[in-house]
Amino acid sequence: VDDKKKRYRLKWKKTKVNIDDHIHVPDIRPDDVQNPDKFVDDFHTKISMLPLDYSKPLWEVYILNLKTSDAGAVVIFKNHHSMGDGVSMTSLFLACSRTASDPDS
């Protein structure tokens, strides 16, 4: 941050990544959740409102060990738009994941 001009001056900086700073697994007790689908929607809304920390690489992963109507668990990947466009990021995530209904796909 340029304190005199009160603005960010972005530049590449070699960084060591501490994976624990980026992967979050909230302690969710399934018995305490009345509606898992609504819980996931509300959780997603909440974290989407929080800004990313510019002092760390601009991505976070949230793993919700909670069975919903569509999945055995949920992963939410939050990243800055500078990491890639939506189509390429979606393709990457789909290539790296499996479905519970067809684990071999």
Side-chain angles (χ1 to χ4, degrees):
V1 176
D2 184 343
D3 290 326
K4 293 178 184 174
K5 296 180 182 178
K6 300 289 184 201
R7 65 179 182 188
Y8 287 99
R9 183 174 178 198
L10 303 177
K11 60 183 176 180
W12 286 105
K13 179 179 175 184
K14 188 173 182 174
T15 306
K16 287 188 178 183
V17 176
N18 180 358
I19 201 77
D20 294 330
D21 289 342
H22 299 280
I23 297 182
H24 309 284
V25 184
D27 183 24
I28 301 170
R29 296 186 183 105
D31 297 336
D32 294 341
V33 177
Q34 298 292 328
N35 184 340
D37 294 323
K38 183 172 178 356
F39 178 88
V40 170
D41 286 343
D42 292 345
F43 186 87
H44 179 261
T45 299
K46 180 179 145 187
I47 64 166
S48 67
M49 301 291 215
L50 300 172
L52 289 166
D53 183 352
Y54 281 92
S55 68
K56 300 185 290 189
L58 301 175
W59 60 272
E60 296 176 343
V61 176
Y62 295 86
I63 301 172
L64 306 179
N65 290 316
L66 183 66
K67 186 173 182 167
T68 66
S69 60
D70 295 322
V74 177
V75 174
I76 300 172
F77 188 79
K78 179 179 174 180
N79 67 292
H80 193 274
H81 67 90
S82 65
M83 292 187 62
D85 65 77
V87 174
S88 64
M89 296 301 280
T90 301
S91 296
L92 171 68
F93 300 134
L94 288 174
C96 296
S97 62
R98 295 180 281 168
T99 64
S101 61
D102 185 9
D104 294 329
S105 68

